[in-house]
Amino acid sequence: MSETSLDRETVEEYARWFRALADPTRIRIMRFLSGRLEPVPVGEIVDHLRLNQSTVSHHLKILYAVRFLTRRRAGASMRYAINPRCITEFPSAADILIGAPLHSCQEPASS
């Protein structure tokens, strides 16, 4: 598959994905959440990363916007988890370069 076969929407989505991961704090958040079976409250992420809540919330917002994370309200707090579809569908840079099959990172349907 050649570069010209990537439609504009797909290229823009991939660019958003890579921009979202172009920050060390966001990579740390993704790594921390990847080891959790249940959604994690923001406070636990703050404590683990030893950053202030506004900083963590800013990064969570970016990761959620590109659908790397899911979130749900639990009382007064939000809980975040890795979007399981992104784990299987996020293309590596090598996949893009060699033309591996393309996928979209959509949030899973609610059950």
Side-chain angles (χ1 to χ4, degrees), residues 6-93:
L6 292 173
D7 63 86
R8 184 175 187 87
E9 185 177 320
T10 300
V11 169
E12 289 175 4
E13 181 175 33
Y14 288 172
R16 285 188 299 273
W17 288 354
F18 289 114
R19 278 192 302 271
L21 293 177
D23 183 278
T25 299
R26 292 192 285 269
I27 291 171
R28 290 177 62 209
I29 289 170
M30 292 292 290
R31 181 69 185 132
F32 175 69
L33 292 176
S34 70
R36 304 299 176 267
L37 298 176
E38 297 294 323
V40 177
V42 175
E44 190 175 325
I45 300 167
V46 166
D47 291 345
H48 177 78
L49 297 178
R50 297 182 183 157
L51 296 171
N52 66 49
Q53 184 164 344
S54 64
T55 299
V56 171
S57 293
H58 167 76
H59 291 294
L60 290 169
K61 179 180 176 181
I62 291 167
L63 292 168
Y64 176 76
V66 297
R67 297 181 306 274
F68 283 154
L69 301 179
T70 60
R71 70 180 179 193
R72 67 178 168 90
R73 183 161 296 284
S77 70
M78 294 299 286
R79 293 179 179 259
Y80 288 85
I82 297 290
N83 180 345
R85 291 193 60 190
C86 288
I87 292 170
T88 59
E89 296 179 8
F90 179 72
S92 69

